[in-house]
Amino acid sequence: MQYTQLGERGPRVSAIAFGNWSAGGDWGTVDRKAALATAREALDLGITFFDTARAYGFGAAEELLGEALRIELRSARESVVIATKGGLRQDGTRTVRDSSPGALRRDLEASLRSLGTEYVDIYQVHWPDPATPLAETAETLEDFVREGKVRYVGVSNFDARQMAAFQQIRPLDTLQPPYHLFRRDIEASILPYTSEHGIGVLVYGPMAHGLLSGRMNETTTFESSDWRTSSDLFRGEAFKTNLAVVRDLEELAQRRGATVAQLAIAWTLANPAVDVAIVGARSPEQLRQTAPAADFRLSTDDMAKIELILRGEVAVGGPAPELMKK
């Protein structure tokens, strides 16, 4: 496992972070025993960085992570770095954005209870909330730092303009954006901004929500509770087109003695503006297959070949909170 400094101000962490979004139930049925074992496997693989969120099952994912890391959180707290996110709440069957001071404080207190820790290392605003001034949100997170409940402040899914507005009140330590071979829009203005301002970048979705896992084909289906069931990107012609691209990437990966998943993760880490790739897994075996990506280096020739293969891809996004029904 490789380790890195997260931006200019953040902590030193593993280049692969374990993401436990799937433990919240948005990716289908949760196997509790497997989820606990997978988080423990992350530690065995040298992963020290764990990313979760209040909105992942509204407590379910955080509780599982807290249970899995109970020993470390109680007796070796400095050995793990925990990042979580707040600013989303349930309104009936809808998930809505709410980064108001009161909402963020409720989210943080609930996260601390669920995780079983007195502080979180990195607290992130999950999505920008147009109804709350960014100055109020920034002031609230700075209060959390002064109170000792948060060590570093981050945002997720923010653009450069929103980060600049936030930083008028409080410097940002981290950004968590989506980034993978089929989604590269952050290269235009977001990554240049984070590089200029020393903001650490931990990207999510490096395997394109499973598309780059090497486990999908034209007959792949998902559970009704899996958000991909209702996504046009995982069915029809767009899905078939991208699967053909994945097969070409897989051939390149095999020639390099790697899997397509390892190649995809390594590609995100090859960008000098990216510090960490968040990798999810639902079993220890899945994580054992992807974690070696931290040590896999792509050559200039590899990168050029990947660019040629990607000429036929269809951009792949992810779900906004408004589309996540409960």
Side-chain angles (χ1 to χ4, degrees):
M1 181 56 60
Q2 299 296 312
Y3 300 87
T4 186
Q5 176 73 27
L6 188 54
E8 292 182 357
R9 296 174 292 276
R12 187 164 180 79
V13 294
S14 52
I16 299 292
F18 175 68
N20 85 328
W21 183 5
S22 64
D26 292 320
W27 298 74
T29 304
V30 177
D31 183 331
R32 182 179 179 82
K33 184 177 179 180
L36 293 170
T38 305
R40 295 303 303 176
E41 181 67 20
L43 290 171
D44 292 341
L45 292 168
I47 293 173
T48 60
F49 194 10
F50 296 81
D51 179 77
T52 186
R54 189 68 198 160
Y56 299 164
F58 288 94
E62 288 177 324
E63 288 171 8
L64 270 173
L65 184 61
E67 182 176 346
L69 302 181
R70 184 173 297 161
I71 295 173
E72 288 72 24
L73 291 174
R74 289 182 176 177
S75 59
R77 182 63 182 85
E78 297 295 327
S79 68
V80 293
V81 175
I82 305 294
T84 192
K85 298 176 281 290
L88 296 179
R89 61 177 173 82
Q90 288 179 286
D91 182 11
T93 60
R94 300 184 307 136
T95 298
V96 298
R97 308 181 190 199
D98 188 351
S99 294
S100 61
L104 284 176
R105 184 167 292 279
R106 286 191 296 272
D107 283 353
L108 175 60
E109 296 294 347
S111 292
L112 293 173
R113 289 193 299 271
S114 293
L115 288 164
T117 182
E118 294 182 352
Y119 68 89
V120 292
D121 298 276
I122 305 173
Y123 196 66
Q124 306 157 100
V125 181
H126 206 150
W127 285 82
D129 171 16
T132 302
L134 285 169
E136 288 187 17
T137 300
E139 288 169 357
T140 300
L141 268 64
E142 177 61 18
D143 286 342
F144 296 162
V145 173
R146 284 196 294 265
E147 294 166 11
K149 296 177 179 179
V150 169
R151 290 195 167 180
Y152 303 96
V153 166
V155 292
S156 180
N157 301 298
F158 274 48
D159 61 26
R161 180 190 60 80
Q162 291 160 338
M163 286 188 284
F166 189 103
Q167 291 209 124
Q168 290 181 7
I169 304 300
R170 204 273 181 196
L172 277 171
D173 301 313
T174 66
L175 169 71
Q176 183 177 149
Y179 188 52
H180 51 73
L181 284 162
F182 295 138
R183 187 173 184 179
R184 303 174 60 174
D185 51 300
I186 66 171
E187 293 175 353
S189 62
I190 292 175
L191 291 183
Y193 182 88
T194 56
S195 294
E196 179 184 355
H197 294 273
I199 299 170
V201 176
L202 52 154
V203 300
Y204 72 85
M207 290 187 290
H209 310 298
L211 184 57
L212 288 160
S213 67
R215 297 190 300 270
M216 291 186 182
N217 57 44
E218 287 81 358
T219 64
T220 297
T221 58
F222 308 98
E223 290 185 40
S224 60
S225 56
D226 189 318
W227 69 267
R228 293 171 293 184
T229 299
S230 57
S231 172
D232 290 337
L233 298 165
F234 290 91
R235 58 192 177 197
E237 291 305 312
F239 189 41
K240 292 179 182 178
T241 297
N242 282 342
L243 284 173
V245 173
V246 173
R247 284 191 286 269
D248 289 341
L249 291 168
E250 194 163 22
E251 289 181 11
L252 174 61
Q254 288 174 349
R255 290 197 295 271
R256 287 294 319 276
T259 67
V260 67
Q262 290 168 357
L263 180 143
I265 297 166
W267 178 87
T268 65
L269 291 172
N271 190 318
V274 173
D275 300 303
V276 172
I278 301 171
V279 177
R282 304 185 72 173
S283 71
E285 178 57 30
Q286 286 182 3
L287 197 58
R288 284 192 290 269
Q289 291 173 3
T290 52
D295 300 303
F296 182 48
R297 295 291 179 266
L298 294 169
S299 68
T300 301
D301 185 54
D302 291 331
M303 297 295 281
K305 288 176 179 176
I306 289 171
E307 290 299 322
L308 287 173
I309 292 171
L310 289 174
R311 288 182 177 181
E313 56 92 12
V314 176
V316 174
E322 292 78 10
L323 300 178
M324 302 297 285
K325 302 291 182 66
K326 295 294 179 183

